[in-house]
Amino acid sequence: MKSKNIEGVPYYGLQQKLEYKARIAGCAVIYVDPKHTSQRCPACGKVDKKSRDRERHEYRCHSCGYSSNDDRAVAMNIRHRGLEKMKQG
Ligand SMILES: [Zn+2]
């Protein structure tokens, strides 16, 4: 497995630690496809690359007007995908 780094921590190592901590806490770890999670509006679902301003850390949907911190919008999209995956079983 090719290991990517997230803030200096090898991805595989982070994954192992997360799964270990989740097991202790009795929680499940759900992996989701990250595609477009930084471009998708968490309010209306519109995918638009121009909605995210990385320099200002802002997300502003040009379709419905929703705005938020960009990292928050990404987290909401990841959560949404996780919930959808749980519903599928
Ligand atoms: Zn929107």
Side-chain angles (χ1 to χ4, degrees), residues 5-87:
N5 287 319
I6 298 174
E7 300 293 331
V9 180
Y11 181 76
Y12 183 72
L14 178 64
Q15 189 179 334
Q16 295 299 305
K17 285 178 186 168
L18 187 65
E19 288 182 5
Y20 172 75
K21 294 285 187 181
R23 208 171 19 254
I24 290 171
C27 298
V29 176
I30 300 167
Y31 292 93
V32 299
D33 182 358
K35 189 174 184 179
H36 299 309
T37 52
S38 64
Q39 301 171 10
R40 180 187 176 277
C41 173
C44 74
K46 172 84 174 171
V47 175
D48 183 358
K49 193 175 181 178
K50 290 176 278 183
S51 295
R52 186 179 192 186
D53 184 337
R54 286 181 180 267
E55 275 188 33
R56 300 177 71 178
H57 280 287
E58 286 180 357
Y59 184 91
R60 186 172 307 278
C61 179
H62 300 289
S63 184
C64 75
Y66 174 84
S67 67
S68 175
N69 170 279
D70 62 342
D71 291 330
R72 181 174 189 268
V74 172
M76 290 170 74
N77 284 325
I78 291 170
R79 178 182 181 273
H80 175 78
R81 291 227 172 123
L83 291 172
E84 288 298 312
K85 205 166 181 179
M86 286 176 69
K87 283 182 194 170

